[in-house]
């Protein structure tokens, strides 16, 4: 899973592009972030992208936790089904 802290202020929708990823759909929405299914346009691989809600990016405790989660999640390679 890829975690991005990108300052996304507008909602993401299917076919939107975020860096080199194309959003396919939202998988889950939580209190602190949303999880999207996307395609890496460089490799064609399906990926999960977690994007924090804008109000959470300003919270230093949340930001530290999110960064740690991104480091751990970046080590996973799980085939998409």
């Amino acid at each position: 899973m890829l975690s991005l802290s990108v300052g996304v202020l507008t909602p993401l929708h299917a076919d939107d592009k975020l860096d080199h990823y194309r959003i396919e759909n939202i998988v889950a929405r939580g209190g602190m972030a949303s999880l999207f299914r996307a395609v890496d346009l460089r490799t064609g691989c399906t990926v999960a992208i977690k994007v924090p809600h804008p109000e959470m990016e300003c919270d230093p405790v949340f930001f530290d936790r999110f960064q740690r989660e991104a480091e751990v999640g970046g080590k996973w390679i799980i085939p998409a089904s």
Side-chain angles (χ1 to χ4, degrees):
M1 176 176 61
L2 174 68
S3 297
L4 294 176
S5 180
V6 293
V8 176
L9 298 177
T10 57
L12 293 172
H13 303 302
D15 292 324
D16 284 351
K17 290 194 176 64
L18 184 62
D19 194 26
H20 61 276
Y21 301 96
R22 186 183 72 248
I23 302 299
E24 289 191 335
N25 62 308
I26 189 160
V27 175
R29 199 175 274 130
M32 297 188 288
S34 295
L35 184 65
F36 296 89
R37 179 182 175 112
V39 173
D40 184 327
L41 297 173
R42 295 184 299 191
T43 66
C45 292
T46 299
V47 298
I49 299 177
K50 187 173 185 179
V51 179
H53 300 313
E55 62 274 12
M56 298 307 297
E57 289 187 1
C58 298
D59 180 337
V61 173
F62 171 78
F63 185 77
D64 287 344
R65 177 179 164 197
F66 194 78
Q67 289 297 109
R68 285 191 307 274
E69 186 177 291
E71 290 169 10
V72 171
K75 296 176 184 175
W76 296 352
I77 299 176
I78 302 171
S81 52

